[in-house]
Amino acid sequence: MRQTGQIGRLGTTPPVPGRPIIFRWAAVLSALFFLFLTWQIAVGGALRRADERLGDAIGSSGLSKRAAELLADLGNITVALPVLAAVLGYTAWRARRDGVPRWWTRPGTAALTMTAVPLLVVPLKETVARTGPAVMGPGTGFYPSGHATTAAVAYGACLLLLLPYVRGAYVRRELVIGYTVLNAAVGLGLVRRSYHWPLDVIGGWCLSVVLLYVMCAVWAGRAPRG
């Protein structure tokens, strides 16, 4: 079976930020940090108390509430899922057109990864039962942030699906930076509008790193062998 190193050709493995070993360690550290955050929040530790003070400070900051609302909305499924669907369709079409074996594997796995987000986040919210900022009332279920996780996984899957078709290290680097800034903006909007505490957002990011790593591991495991 033919294998080539050209972008978008047969047998290519999608590039990820940094070396694969770095991505693996990022996933491991993210999982461990998520467990630590979850423990601190569940027991009302010092980190949770500091988190709530920081959240109150950001929530009363000078950032426009309208701008913050627009940023937070980028994590809505009504925004993120159509973007992901468009990228899934495009990359599936490109892979099939280029004759990639099992062309459906990467878009299909990305779709399943997105499906896994609520399956993980909803039970975690119910188990941890964290209360939100005061303006959100007495309800629970704020950790981890579903909006932050949705944005990080949906746009991250888009990024990783598209990178094999992007020529030039500079453009790839800018796309990775853009992805990072976008998710930071979503997180800032969520905290500024007092929809979540900062650690709710960070917990969602940790989950997303693990999910995206598993997605890429599946891709690598099903890559054609020369």
Side-chain angles (χ1 to χ4, degrees), residues 148-224:
T149 312
T150 294
V153 172
Y155 301 134
C158 290
L159 174 69
L160 293 167
L161 284 165
L162 290 172
L163 281 179
Y165 301 103
V166 177
R167 296 184 181 275
Y170 174 79
V171 178
R172 292 180 193 158
R173 183 171 62 250
E174 293 304 305
L175 286 174
V176 172
I177 292 173
Y179 166 73
T180 304
V181 171
L182 173 62
N183 280 280
V186 171
L188 177 61
L190 291 169
V191 178
R192 172 63 181 93
R193 291 294 288 121
S194 297
Y195 294 145
H196 280 287
W197 302 111
L199 289 185
D200 301 343
V201 173
I202 295 174
W205 290 344
C206 290
L207 274 182
S208 72
V209 172
V210 176
L211 286 170
L212 292 173
Y213 174 75
V214 171
M215 182 184 75
C216 287
V218 172
W219 289 355
R222 292 183 176 272

Side-chain angles (χ1 to χ4, degrees), residues 30 33-42 48 51 120-132 140-146 149 195-204 206-207:
S30 293
F33 191 52
F34 178 79
L35 292 175
F36 172 71
L37 292 181
T38 304
W39 167 66
Q40 278 288 294
I41 290 168
R48 172 172 175 166
D51 177 49
L120 286 174
V121 170
V122 172
L124 283 167
K125 283 176 174 285
E126 294 177 353
T127 301
V128 177
R130 185 183 193 185
T131 55
T140 60
F142 287 84
Y143 175 89
S145 167
T149 312
Y195 294 145
H196 280 287
W197 302 111
L199 289 185
D200 301 343
V201 173
I202 295 174
C206 290
L207 274 182

Side-chain angles (χ1 to χ4, degrees), residues 60-78:
S60 60
S61 66
L63 176 64
S64 165
K65 286 190 175 182
R66 184 175 181 181
E69 184 73 30
L70 290 173
L71 295 176
D73 283 347
L74 294 175
N76 284 337
I77 59 173
T78 54

Side-chain angles (χ1 to χ4, degrees), residues 71-95:
L71 295 176
D73 283 347
L74 294 175
N76 284 337
I77 59 173
T78 54
V79 177
L81 290 192
V83 174
L84 177 60
V87 173
L88 291 176
Y90 170 75
T91 53
W93 170 76
R94 281 291 303 267

